[in-house]
Amino acid sequence: MSIQEILDPANWLSTTGGPRYLQLQRRFESAISDNLLQPGMPLPPEREIAAITGLSRVTVRKAVGPLVQQGLIVQRRGSGSVVAKPVERVEQPLSRLTSFTEDMNRRGLSTEAKWLARGVFMPSPEEIMTLGLSSDQSVSRLERLRYADGLPLVVERASLPSEILPDPMDVELSLYETLDILGFKPVKAIQRIYAANLNAGDASLLDVEEGAASLQISRISFLSGGRAVELTKSVYRGEAYDFVAELKISDSDVVQNGEQ
Ligand code: 16G
């Protein structure tokens, strides 16, 4: 079915069907869920939709706005609108200390990274505190945009004491693999997870609207002796990542409950 036929008002507009913008909005929604409009398909410009449907441009805009809000349609400045590609959520158990590369490989997803920056710097007060450094001990910083199966999923900003990772250029695909080679692979970590709206910079890297929801994680990881090796701040696309925690009551609770 061509886009003209899909939008032909004879196929969906009725005088008793409620406000016309709502009928058009529902037409788009059902055409997307029935796969008549497929992911990635470009949509005609507003004035053309108005011409096909016989509705005003204001009505068309009112119908399309909520679809953009719901993430069914993606509007790109200059290049028109397209039907959004559904995002498959990645589920990540919270209790295992793994690297991004390991997580994605386990799921059979391909990974890519775009280096945004890396180098050796004097530490910030936060790095001094979390990594247990003195102010004259430098840090290696790595900033990457990481993709899962072509989808930009997370912006990661990692800082490590230069004593652990002297040359940030040594990292190729996986930081943890490099740390393993250097004999500094972390064995435990503490993570803080919080929700935040994306600022303009991270939103454009992750290819979503500014202000969209994101999940942000700050991980400090340690060697078995307790030395901190990494402070990494990760900004995930909110709709693409789920953290899953398995919760158990402790053995002593089981005994107590059994006795009751
Ligand atoms: C994960 C870690 C991050 C670590 C990275 C190493 C979380 C929240 N963060 O993304 O702290 O630096 O893996 O991945 O899981 P890599 O070895 O693939 O570079």
Side-chain angles (χ1 to χ4, degrees):
M1 207 186 238
S2 72
I3 189 92
Q4 272 76 13
E5 284 169 296
I6 293 169
L7 293 179
D8 183 347
N11 293 328
W12 54 272
L13 189 64
S14 94
T15 45
T16 53
R20 290 184 302 171
Y21 78 90
L22 216 52
Q23 291 192 51
L24 177 59
Q25 185 185 323
R26 292 204 194 103
R27 179 61 178 168
F28 271 116
E29 283 167 355
S30 59
I32 291 171
S33 68
D34 296 345
N35 228 19
L36 295 175
L37 290 174
Q38 285 154 8
M41 212 161 140
L43 295 175
E46 193 179 280
R47 72 185 135 65
E48 209 176 301
I49 299 179
I52 301 169
T53 57
L55 302 175
S56 72
R57 286 181 68 162
V58 175
T59 307
V60 171
R61 204 170 304 150
K62 214 166 152 190
V64 172
L67 301 168
V68 174
Q69 287 278 318
Q70 287 173 51
L72 289 174
I73 288 177
V74 182
Q75 261 174 345
R76 298 223 168 80
R77 244 167 265 123
S79 59
S81 303
V82 292
V83 179
K85 298 199 173 123
V87 171
E88 234 179 86
R89 295 179 83 94
V90 170
E91 277 197 4
Q92 173 62 20
L94 269 172
S95 53
R96 292 183 50 192
L97 178 59
T98 48
S99 73
F100 184 83
T101 310
E102 287 165 340
D103 292 338
M104 296 305 129
N105 286 347
R106 199 155 20 90
R107 294 186 179 90
L109 300 176
S110 66
T111 58
E112 269 173 78
K114 188 167 149 192
W115 285 100
L116 304 172
R118 53 179 151 173
V120 175
F121 300 88
M122 291 323 287
S124 68
E126 187 186 14
E127 287 163 337
I128 291 175
M129 286 274 293
T130 51
L131 298 173
L133 300 174
S134 58
S135 54
D136 58 354
Q137 285 178 303
S138 61
V139 287
S140 290
R141 289 191 197 139
L142 315 167
E143 193 172 334
R144 289 178 282 179
L145 172 61
R146 312 196 72 175
Y147 297 79
D149 261 2
L151 180 85
L153 188 62
V154 56
V155 183
E156 277 189 353
R157 299 181 175 95
S159 306
L160 299 92
S162 296
E163 280 185 2
I164 299 276
L165 179 70
D167 186 357
M169 301 307 278
D170 281 347
V171 179
E172 287 173 18
L173 284 177
S174 165
L175 170 63
Y176 279 16
E177 209 175 283
T178 307
L179 290 177
D180 198 12
I181 294 168
L182 296 171
F184 294 128
K185 188 158 180 191
V187 296
K188 59 181 176 179
I190 294 177
Q191 283 189 176
R192 224 161 48 87
I193 304 181
Y194 46 99
N197 296 104
L198 286 169
N199 63 31
D202 286 348
S204 113
L205 288 170
L206 293 170
D207 202 13
V208 293
E209 300 277 311
E210 178 179 353
S214 77
L215 206 59
Q216 312 215 353
I217 302 185
S218 156
R219 176 186 283 191
I220 307 169
S221 51
F222 304 90
L223 300 177
S224 54
R227 182 172 182 194
V229 286
E230 160 200 37
L231 165 65
T232 297
K233 294 185 175 180
S234 308
V235 180
Y236 290 85
R237 271 171 84 133
E239 88 284 30
Y241 218 83
D242 277 353
F243 282 89
V244 180
E246 184 184 288
L247 307 176
K248 286 186 191 156
I249 53 174
S250 70
D251 289 347
S252 59
D253 289 340
V254 175
V255 172
Q256 273 178 16
N257 288 340
E259 282 171 350
Q260 275 166 10

